[in-house]
Amino acid sequence: MNTLLVTSTQDSTGKTAVTLALGLLAQERGLDVGYMKPKGTRLQSNVGKTLDQDPMLARELLGLDAEMHQMEPIVYSPTFVEGAIRGQEDGDELADIVRENYDQLSAGKDLMLVEGAGRYTTGGIIDLTDPEVADLLDAQVLLVADYTKPGDIDDVLAAADDIGEDLAGVLFNRVSDSVYDELETEVVPFLENRGIDVLGVLPRKRELAGVTVEGLAQELGADVATNVPTDAFVERFLVGAMGGDAALRYFRRTKDAAVITGGDRSEIHTAALEAPGVKALILTGGHRPPAAVLGKAEEKGVPVLLVNADTLSVVDRAEELVHSGRTRDEETVSLLRDLLFEHADVDALVPAAADDE
């Protein structure tokens, strides 16, 4: 049996979608695939009462019948981390728990996919960073990384050094057109000359870059006050806190943005609706805007979302959503599957079926 641990240089590199897309490709080759995320970090509760959503999606998309406590034996919540610092958690015992559940999940599997937590260093407090988990499970490691500038390679080299001989290679994800050629012609040869295999360079796709207005509304628990399409993508957020004229100049310099402001700031609403790059208005504080604002939004085709929370809280949550990429779902994984097939060395990551060997 082969085991591949997928980790990353930093949070929100698309690691989950890459992991599950590899699972789909392996199943297409006739392999029996298992999945595990030893340290659950994508939590909806600080105390870890709500489990990580990634194993739930894995169980659904890969058709697994494993129990959640097996797939995610450690709920790596802030409360857990605080307890570990106080000496309330034993790293050796936790390692035994991870190994025991891994053995159960991997029984009879051709390929075991292990998803890392956050970034590769997560888990150091309990001596279970991703490189340490790879050693524990005898896994090869795929390092997923972003690339926007040459200095990002420092992170890749540091991670490769920490992972050591278990490193299968690096996969660059979401690479924009502006740096794609530079990465392929200069950076990839540099890394390979350092003994680091680059197994793929996936181009940035708009469909995976942001979050739809519909997805944003769902994640924020917002009421949609307009009857217009909500399928536009939002990649950035602007906070409306200035006067109307200044706001209009500010909003016109952006694209694919949502404006977040108080529901009682009608002059900001009006300015935002005049800017072609504004794809949605998110109004906070539980205030409903005047009918004239909603009418203009309908006319312009701009959705208006109403949220009860304060502006700062909404900004923090919205930024978190965009930084983590599009909300994880079946379509996201399917798109990543196609990108991996076209732009990555899948043979180096997914073994052939027994009949093909």
Side-chain angles (χ1 to χ4, degrees), residues 250-267:
Y250 176 47
F251 297 152
R252 279 181 169 167
R253 294 198 296 267
T254 192
K255 65 178 181 177
D256 300 326
V259 171
I260 303 175
T261 192
D264 55 351
R265 298 292 305 274
S266 57
E267 77 282 8

Side-chain angles (χ1 to χ4, degrees), residues 57-170:
L57 182 61
R59 187 165 62 178
E60 176 186 348
L61 295 189
L62 300 179
L64 306 176
D65 58 4
E67 298 293 333
M68 283 300 300
H69 72 271
Q70 293 178 295
M71 299 172 72
E72 181 191 294
I74 300 173
V75 180
Y76 205 78
S77 68
T79 301
F80 172 90
V81 172
E82 290 168 4
I85 290 173
R86 297 189 187 105
Q88 297 169 3
E89 303 291 344
D90 185 297
D92 291 337
E93 290 181 3
L94 292 169
D96 289 342
I97 291 171
V98 169
R99 182 72 208 196
E100 179 182 348
N101 283 285
Y102 167 84
D103 289 341
Q104 294 171 3
L105 292 171
S106 62
K109 302 298 184 185
D110 301 308
L111 173 65
M112 191 68 185
L113 293 171
V114 180
E115 183 179 348
R119 59 188 66 198
Y120 75 96
T121 56
T122 302
I125 289 172
I126 52 173
D127 297 320
L128 282 175
T129 63
D130 285 351
E132 289 168 320
V133 172
D135 286 340
L136 178 68
L137 305 181
D138 300 317
Q140 289 290 292
V141 178
L142 173 65
L143 180 66
V144 182
D146 284 334
Y147 181 81
T148 59
K149 59 185 185 302
D152 292 337
I153 299 306
D154 283 340
D155 293 334
V156 173
L157 293 171
D161 186 56
D162 286 344
I163 295 167
E165 294 181 355
D166 291 331
L167 182 66
V170 178

Side-chain angles (χ1 to χ4, degrees), residues 223-230 288 293-295 297-298 301-305:
D223 293 327
V224 182
T226 46
N227 185 24
V228 297
T230 54
R288 190 174 183 85
V293 169
L294 293 177
E298 294 261 4
V302 177
V304 176
L305 313 185

